[in-house]
Amino acid sequence: MSRFAEGVVKFQREVFPEKQAMFERLSTGQSPEALFITCSDSRVETAMLTQTDPGELFICRNAGNIVPPHTNQTGGMTASIEFAIGALRIPNIVICGHTQCGAMKGAMNRAALTKLPHVREWLGYAQGAVDITEALGGHLDPEAKMKMLLEQNVILQLQHLKTHPTVAVALAQKQLTLHGWVYDIKTGEVEAYDDATGSWVPVAERYASDLAGEMLAAHAC
C-alpha cells in the first residue's frame, strides 16, 4: 500500500496543481460523454485506453462487463444505468470486453465454479453468448472460440441494455447511441461492432467519418 500512498502524494503535489482549473470546474458537476461499461479486470485501464480526462467517462465495472436484463429488483448496475441515462442524459453507452477475460473463461464452464456460487450465478447473464458460441463456433480452435465468445457476450449485453426503461426511451428519442468494443490487451487493438453489417472492425474504421470530422474541425481552429 505504500506505493499507492506515494502515488496519492505525487498526485497532490505534481498532477493536481497542473490541472487545478479542471478539477475546480468538475467540482460543480459532471457531464460525461459516455457511460463506459467494462470488466473489473485490473489490466483494463479505461483512461489510458480512451485517453480521457476525469469527467469524460461515467464508468461501471464488473466481472465480464455484464448488464443484467431489467427487472423490478434493484441492483448496482441497474441503478447506475438509470442514473447515467435518466439523470445525467449521457448520449453514448460503450460495452467493452477484453481478451484473456477470466469471467468469460468461467462462463464456458459454470458448473466448475462450485466454490464461487455468486460468480457462477452472475455469469448466467452471459449464458446466451456461450450457447451461441457453442452453436456457431464449435468447430473453432480454443483461441478463435474465445474471441467469438467475447464478441457475442458484448452483443448480448447490448441487447440486455435495451430492456432498461431509461435506455429504451432514450433510444426511441434518438438521444442515445450504443457501442460494442473488444480490447486486445496484448496488441492494444480495439475492435468495434458495426450493427449495420453485423461485423467487427477496427475502431479507426468503425468511426472513420467521426475521426475525419474532428480532424477537419481541429485544422479549422
Side-chain angles (χ1 to χ4, degrees), residues 93-112:
I93 302 179
V94 179
I95 296 183
C96 183
H98 69 95
T99 56
Q100 301 301 316
C101 182
M104 290 301 98
K105 292 177 183 178
M108 277 289 199
N109 187 15
R110 288 172 57 217

Side-chain angles (χ1 to χ4, degrees), residues 112-135:
L113 300 174
T114 55
K115 294 184 178 180
L116 299 171
H118 294 288
V119 174
R120 183 179 62 215
E121 183 175 354
W122 176 253
L123 293 179
Y125 294 120
Q127 188 61 46
V130 173
D131 293 344
I132 291 171
T133 301
E134 293 290 358

Side-chain angles (χ1 to χ4, degrees), residues 5-85:
E6 182 181 355
V8 172
V9 173
K10 182 177 181 180
F11 164 76
Q12 293 170 332
R13 290 178 178 174
E14 300 176 19
V15 178
F16 184 87
E18 292 181 1
K19 298 181 177 288
Q20 187 169 351
M22 179 189 71
F23 286 111
E24 288 179 353
R25 174 175 54 81
L26 289 174
S27 71
T28 65
Q30 62 172 323
S31 183
E33 186 175 345
L35 164 59
F36 200 89
I37 300 171
T38 192
C39 188
S40 300
D41 194 299
S42 62
R43 297 167 294 180
V44 180
E45 178 28 64
T46 56
M48 184 180 294
L49 176 62
T50 59
Q51 291 295 286
T52 49
D53 285 327
E56 295 181 329
L57 294 180
F58 190 89
I59 302 170
C60 290
R61 304 183 69 143
N62 63 64
N65 41 272
I66 281 170
V67 176
H70 183 268
T71 68
N72 290 329
Q73 292 184 333
T74 298
M77 282 301 300
T78 299
S80 296
I81 291 166
E82 183 177 81
F83 179 73
I85 308 306

Side-chain angles (χ1 to χ4, degrees), residues 193-214:
Y193 183 60
D194 186 339
D195 188 48
T197 63
S199 61
W200 290 82
V201 297
V203 159
E205 180 180 334
R206 174 67 178 84
Y207 301 101
S209 59
D210 295 335
L211 294 171
E214 289 189 10

